[in-house]
Amino acid sequence: MHPTARKFADQVRDSHGFEVTIEEFPEGTKTADDAAAAVGCDVAQIVKSIVMRVGDETVVVLTSGANRVDEATLASEFGVEQGSVRSANPGEVKEATGWSIGGVPPTCHATDCPVLADPTFESFDRIWAAAGTPKAVFRLTPGDLQTLSEPQFVDVFE
């Protein structure tokens, strides 16, 4: 197992008492379509961890692989101007979450940034999320996502 995926598995176990089974794919799972093809599920079951800057705040938005973040709705949710919402750059992602783009899991972030989640996940028995690297994923349920990430389920997606 890649050392970064092992680090994630150890952190989620130590922080939440949750044992993950990590699956690694040499061809990578960088996009939601890649991840869905690798694990054999619908793209909507893939948890994309999108890190956004919303005003002066960094926010992790857990988006179904079938959806996109609606920046205008996200701005409204946080009461900021639409122009002050953007994707975080790689340095901001790493600083806020401790993970690199493409491998950001839905939990075990380096800072206590807000986490929002797509209500779409609640319609599935199981979902898949990044496990620390762009080549590693783990399976969880929507209930697990709620327990591990403590997200606010809000519809800021298109």
Side-chain angles (χ1 to χ4, degrees):
M1 181 180 304
H2 189 280
T4 303
R6 168 57 47 211
K7 174 183 166 186
F8 169 70
D10 292 344
Q11 280 187 357
V12 76
R13 183 192 63 242
D14 295 346
S15 297
H16 300 285
F18 188 82
E19 293 292 335
V20 296
T21 301
I22 294 177
E23 294 189 41
E24 294 181 287
F25 299 92
E27 64 279 4
T29 55
K30 289 182 183 177
T31 69
D33 287 331
D34 292 342
V39 300
C41 71
D42 188 283
V43 71
Q45 291 173 268
I46 300 299
V47 179
K48 297 187 300 187
S49 296
I50 308 296
V51 183
M52 304 291 293
R53 290 290 297 168
V54 181
D56 294 330
E57 194 166 21
T58 302
V59 177
V60 177
V61 185
L62 306 176
T63 309
S64 166
N67 295 335
R68 296 174 28 125
V69 175
D70 182 329
E71 292 182 7
T73 305
L74 184 59
S76 178
E77 182 70 28
F78 280 83
V80 300
E81 296 288 326
Q82 182 177 347
S84 68
V85 174
R86 64 173 174 80
S87 295
N89 67 43
E92 291 166 333
V93 170
K94 183 78 168 182
E95 182 179 332
T97 69
W99 309 98
S100 297
I101 291 174
V104 177
T107 188
C108 296
H109 302 142
T111 66
D112 191 24
C113 50
V115 179
L116 304 181
D118 192 331
T120 300
F121 297 132
E122 296 173 331
S123 64
F124 296 105
D125 291 334
R126 67 185 113 176
I127 52 181
W128 298 83
T133 80
K135 296 181 179 185
V137 296
F138 72 105
R139 184 178 68 180
L140 67 164
T141 67
D144 296 334
L145 182 68
Q146 177 69 38
T147 299
L148 297 174
S149 302
E150 299 180 356
Q152 176 184 352
F153 282 87
V154 59
D155 192 358
V156 294
F157 310 98
E158 53 183 45

